[in-house]
Amino acid sequence: MSFLESVQHGIEKASQEAARLAKIQHLHGIVNDLSNKINQDSQDMLTKAMELFQGGHLTQSELLPICQQIVTYQQQIAEVHAEIQKIQEEAHAQGEAAPVATPTASGGTN
């Protein structure tokens, strides 16, 4: 094999590898897009199920315990936020500079 043939063969292999990597990246992008759609639809389904549950209209017995557990978690989060608020108010009343943390929708603080 001549030097030119060897270089050409190397270029062809590199080109094939680049095409393979590009296809894999493209397929990963498709998977990510579909996963995002699944996550959004799952969130939409959860929101609707919780609306039905809180309105007393959810009848699927398989979902009731899950919804009840979510409500329990939401109540616990509210209690923790109230405790945080109480501690911050006590610190403020004592003249301490306590940072004010406000709850976010995800249950964290800003």
Side-chain angles (χ1 to χ4, degrees):
M1 181 181 294
S2 74
F3 175 73
L4 185 57
E5 289 173 334
S6 179
V7 169
Q8 186 176 5
H9 180 70
I11 291 171
E12 287 173 6
K13 287 190 92 164
S15 177
Q16 290 171 351
E17 181 67 11
R20 185 183 71 80
L21 291 174
K23 184 170 185 168
I24 290 171
Q25 274 187 312
H26 173 72
L27 293 173
H28 278 298
I30 291 172
V31 168
N32 287 338
D33 289 345
L34 291 171
S35 294
N36 288 337
K37 288 178 182 180
I38 287 171
N39 289 337
Q40 183 59 53
D41 286 351
S42 296
Q43 184 61 45
D44 293 345
M45 183 174 59
L46 172 63
T47 299
K48 186 62 178 173
M50 290 304 296
E51 287 173 5
L52 291 169
F53 174 76
Q54 291 170 339
H57 302 293
L58 185 66
T59 58
Q60 284 73 23
S61 61
E62 300 86 6
L63 298 178
L64 291 175
I66 297 168
C67 292
Q68 290 168 338
Q69 186 62 54
I70 290 170
V71 168
T72 299
Y73 292 148
Q74 289 171 336
Q75 291 169 343
Q76 290 171 344
I77 289 169
E79 290 170 5
V80 170
H81 284 158
E83 184 66 23
I84 290 169
Q85 184 67 33
K86 179 181 173 186
I87 291 169
Q88 290 174 337
E89 289 172 358
E90 288 172 356
H92 183 68
Q94 294 175 359
E96 297 176 7
V100 177
T102 56
T104 63
S106 65
T109 56
N110 289 344

